[in-house]
Amino acid sequence: MSQPTITLWSDANFFSPYVMSVYVALKEKGLSFNLQTVDLNSGQNQQPGWKGYSLTRRVPAIEVDDFLLSESSAITEYLEDRFAPPTWERIYPHDLEKRARARQIQAWIRSDLMPIREERSTDVVFAGVKKAPLTDKGQNAAQKLIATVENLLPAGQQNLFGEWSIADTDLALMLNRLILNGDKVPERLEEYAAFQWQRASVQRFLALSAKHSG
């Protein structure tokens, strides 16, 4: 199968959960792509010379031939439509309602639970850093996350929708902000996150972040 030229821009350390989401989506689709990095710490993304400067100046950014796009959930939805099943592997559920739920989960993770994202940054996930105990706001956000996932994840299932979707990867990463720091999370959700973490595409991204975390 022929495909266009694809370039993905990541943060230099591969610590972005949103870069991970797009990277996993590309790997699951079986797409070849060029991987470029942008040094966010030095402000390279704020320089006019960077390709993504004309968009949101954030990573991930992706270019498919001459089409440039940023914001991870927009990218993964575009990839699903542009490289559609059955020719390419599916990354969203086929069922309309389940697909909408997957997109809801992605949007929720990106727009809510800010205390978890602030108090459990991704250096916990990708570099093994341990953080101080959660504040009251952090504990409230963690309880909300746990209660929501317990409602969403069917008993006895390892994926949200009976088969893997990109929302599973995104949700597992949010849970692992807590789990990998040693915060208390129900065993069923720990098992879910651990199962998602073993996916080959996820492991390949983790290897990249481990290589660059030093």
Side-chain angles (χ1 to χ4, degrees), residues 1-140:
M1 292 180 289
S2 61
Q3 65 160 79
T5 300
I6 301 174
T7 301
L8 169 64
W9 282 273
S10 169
D11 60 301
N13 293 331
F14 297 93
F15 274 22
S16 167
Y18 311 119
V19 169
M20 177 176 168
S21 185
V22 174
Y23 179 95
V24 167
L26 287 164
K27 288 294 186 183
E28 294 289 342
K29 283 283 183 189
L31 295 166
S32 300
F33 58 98
N34 304 310
L35 188 58
Q36 301 288 334
T37 58
V38 181
D39 189 348
L40 304 184
N41 292 331
S42 69
Q44 184 183 356
N45 57 311
Q46 301 295 334
Q47 301 303 315
W50 178 50
K51 197 69 174 281
Y53 179 84
S54 62
L55 297 178
T56 56
R57 305 181 191 178
R58 304 203 299 179
V59 295
I62 195 170
E63 187 173 40
V64 181
D65 281 345
D66 295 325
F67 178 63
L68 191 63
L69 185 66
S70 65
E71 301 305 313
S72 58
S73 60
I75 294 172
T76 56
E77 290 181 30
Y78 168 73
L79 291 174
E80 183 78 330
D81 293 339
R82 174 66 178 79
F83 303 98
T87 303
W88 305 91
E89 293 297 321
R90 185 179 299 281
I91 60 172
Y92 283 93
H94 174 73
D95 178 81
L96 180 64
E97 281 73 29
K98 290 179 179 179
R99 185 185 181 95
R101 184 73 70 208
R103 288 173 166 173
Q104 173 197 319
I105 291 165
Q106 287 188 295
W108 175 57
I109 288 170
R110 287 157 173 75
S111 62
D112 198 0
L113 307 171
M114 181 59 76
I116 296 176
R117 289 185 277 145
E118 290 178 342
E119 298 178 33
R120 296 291 181 265
S121 57
T122 54
D123 54 2
V124 170
V125 177
F126 298 124
V129 174
K130 301 299 182 186
K131 302 289 187 177
L134 291 167
T135 64
D136 288 345
K137 286 184 178 180
Q139 290 177 9
N140 289 338

Side-chain angles (χ1 to χ4, degrees), residues 155-171:
Q157 288 195 18
Q158 295 174 311
N159 298 307
L160 289 167
F161 306 110
E163 59 181 347
W164 177 86
S165 79
I166 191 63
D168 284 300
T169 297
D170 290 353
L171 191 56

Side-chain angles (χ1 to χ4, degrees), residues 144-164:
K144 180 179 181 180
L145 172 63
I146 289 167
T148 302
V149 181
E150 285 185 319
N151 286 331
L152 288 170
L153 182 64
Q157 288 195 18
Q158 295 174 311
N159 298 307
L160 289 167
F161 306 110
E163 59 181 347
W164 177 86

